Amino acid sequence: MSSGARRITITGVEILKCGAGFRDFCFVKMSTSGVNTEGKAIVGWSEYLEERNIGIAQVIEWMGQLIIGLDPLPYAKIIAQLKANTRHVAGGIAQQGIAAIENCLLDVVGKFYNVPVCALFGGPIRDKLPMYWSHCGSFRVAYNKVLVNPMTKKPTPPLKSLQDCEALGAEVAASGYSALKTNIFFFENNDSVGGGKGNTGDGSSSMYMPGFGGGVGSPELNVTPKIVSGIVEQMAAFRKGAGNDIGLKLDLNYNFKTDGFIQIAKALTPEAVGGPGIDWLELDIYSPQALRQIRDNAAMPIASLESLMGRKAIHPYLDAGAVDVCIIDPLWNGVDESIKMAGLCDMYEVNCAAHNYHGWLGTVMCAHFCAAIPNFKVLETDVDDVPWKDEIVTAVPTVVDGVLTLPMGPGWGIDVNEEALKKYPVVSDAKSGIWSAAGDSE
């Protein structure tokens, strides 16, 4: 029983979505029998990702049925039960479903006790959170017509050339953000990476993403001298436009094998890129020993582990000394488990960055994680997005010069605007999502 005479039970769990241009914004709504101090019904929210993990909504709905009627306040008991229910299929979609439920529960608990979620974990340690501009240029390749820059309120231009990368670097410098992260691009007009085909926006450019999308380079994931030189040219163009005070990060994802990652890491020197070089090189690989080998050969810090779920998964990488920065996704792991993962990282003197390419609710959920851990590095955010991103939440977080002020209302401090969701039909299909621009075939 909860808090003396005050009882609260879970009465419903449902999925709500809306279209977001080339993917969907996806949310879980948890209704309860409780009321807050103002007499309003306590409803918990979480954002989750449905992108090439089709079936996650059904998993969440099934888990929701299992917890109807339970007291949400001892949330760890519910999470332990759901992990037991899915022990034979641990990780993957099962873990993402548990995380979506967990994050709803945390919102409910915060609202019940009238405190922000970070306070449940001893926070906030900080309420100003530096962010970097992620997927910088990546979505402009194929989706610029549905995106706006929130600072200028204008549609984003396409990304077709190295000159466009340089101009975008200058745009980031003018925005107040202190760092950017980008992906690998084809520019067919100058054949800078390899001249292969992808799903191009207008026939002149595409992302190089064989690790996710197939097409050129898949499944072998080999590297060529042209790819390496093209990546160096691309990052040098961003450096030229951004100047020396803006941090540059490059995400190689799963696009190469160990030897390819090493070749690229060795090539991206400060002398080749210009200025201070690369802030960090980000990549994913399912071998702690291979990642350590890459780190030993890199000219810059290595950031990784965003795709791993739970402390048991990241522990071998920390033992191997394989990373400089551990990236954790609170929407995939749940904020409670994410904080425990950060605690493990702290034992190894490793700081943590939040993996976040979500809407405002997901960003705020990640921000509460970042505010509650001592070993915080930086928060990721997508700046280019659909113009109704602000409309579908009840409050938009304050961001000034790339620094987010943590909402400190009860729970996450923001909720979902259900009426606004109805205005934007879902767009999801088997191939929708941010990496659909990479192409699935030649």
Side-chain angles (χ1 to χ4, degrees), residues 185-210:
F185 308 133
F186 278 138
F187 296 117
E188 295 179 8
N189 56 344
N190 63 8
D191 200 28
S192 61
V193 172
K197 296 183 294 181
N199 180 1
T200 60
D202 56 13
S204 64
S205 60
S206 65
M207 284 195 291
Y208 185 69
M209 198 65 64

Side-chain angles (χ1 to χ4, degrees), residues 16-25 386 388 392 419-429:
L16 291 94
K17 303 178 186 180
C18 77
F22 50 92
R23 83 289 198 205
D24 292 321
F25 289 133
V386 292
W388 57 90
I392 62 171
E419 290 302 312
L421 296 183
K422 298 175 184 178
K423 296 166 59 176
Y424 306 104
V426 298
V427 299
S428 62
D429 60 33

Side-chain angles (χ1 to χ4, degrees), residues 104 389 430 434:
C104 264
K389 178 180 179 179
I434 66 168

Side-chain angles (χ1 to χ4, degrees), residues 134-150:
S134 191
H135 300 113
C136 191
S138 305
F139 303 152
R140 296 188 182 189
V141 168
Y143 305 122
N144 70 287
K145 293 180 181 179
V146 301
L147 303 175
V148 296
N149 181 313

Side-chain angles (χ1 to χ4, degrees), residues 64-195:
Q65 294 173 15
L66 297 179
I67 65 175
I68 297 296
L70 298 184
D71 181 347
L73 300 188
Y75 68 89
K77 181 179 180 181
I78 294 176
I79 298 308
Q81 182 60 50
L82 292 177
K83 288 186 176 180
N85 294 149
T86 56
R87 185 163 284 133
H88 62 302
V89 288
I93 291 176
Q95 173 54 43
Q96 291 179 11
I98 292 171
I101 295 291
E102 176 182 296
N103 289 331
C104 264
L105 289 166
L106 292 173
D107 193 30
V108 167
V109 174
K111 288 172 177 173
F112 184 88
Y113 291 116
N114 200 34
V115 297
V117 168
C118 64
L120 303 176
F121 303 96
I125 294 174
R126 61 193 68 79
D127 61 8
K128 304 291 184 183
L129 300 162
M131 303 192 294
Y132 67 86
W133 182 324
S134 191
H135 300 113
C136 191
S138 305
F139 303 152
R140 296 188 182 189
V141 168
Y143 305 122
N144 70 287
K145 293 180 181 179
V146 301
L147 303 175
V148 296
N149 181 313
M151 289 157 290
T152 65
K153 306 299 182 184
K154 296 180 179 179
T156 57
L159 192 84
K160 300 179 180 179
S161 66
L162 292 174
Q163 290 72 30
D164 290 339
C165 291
E166 182 179 337
L168 181 52
E171 186 179 333
V172 173
S175 74
Y177 281 84
S178 60
L180 68 85
K181 185 174 78 180
T182 191
N183 302 98
I184 307 170
F185 308 133
F186 278 138
F187 296 117
E188 295 179 8
N189 56 344
N190 63 8
D191 200 28
S192 61
V193 172

Side-chain angles (χ1 to χ4, degrees), residues 17-79:
K17 303 178 186 180
C18 77
F22 50 92
R23 83 289 198 205
D24 292 321
F25 289 133
C26 304
F27 306 98
V28 182
K29 177 183 178 182
M30 180 177 290
S31 301
T32 75
S33 64
V35 294
N36 62 18
T37 55
E38 298 176 350
K40 296 181 180 179
I42 294 176
V43 175
W45 290 97
S46 69
E47 185 169 346
Y48 75 96
L49 182 72
E50 185 165 343
E51 178 194 50
R52 299 196 180 193
N53 58 347
I54 303 301
I56 180 65
Q58 288 80 3
V59 170
I60 293 169
E61 289 170 341
W62 166 66
M63 291 178 175
Q65 294 173 15
L66 297 179
I67 65 175
I68 297 296
L70 298 184
D71 181 347
L73 300 188
Y75 68 89
K77 181 179 180 181
I78 294 176
I79 298 308

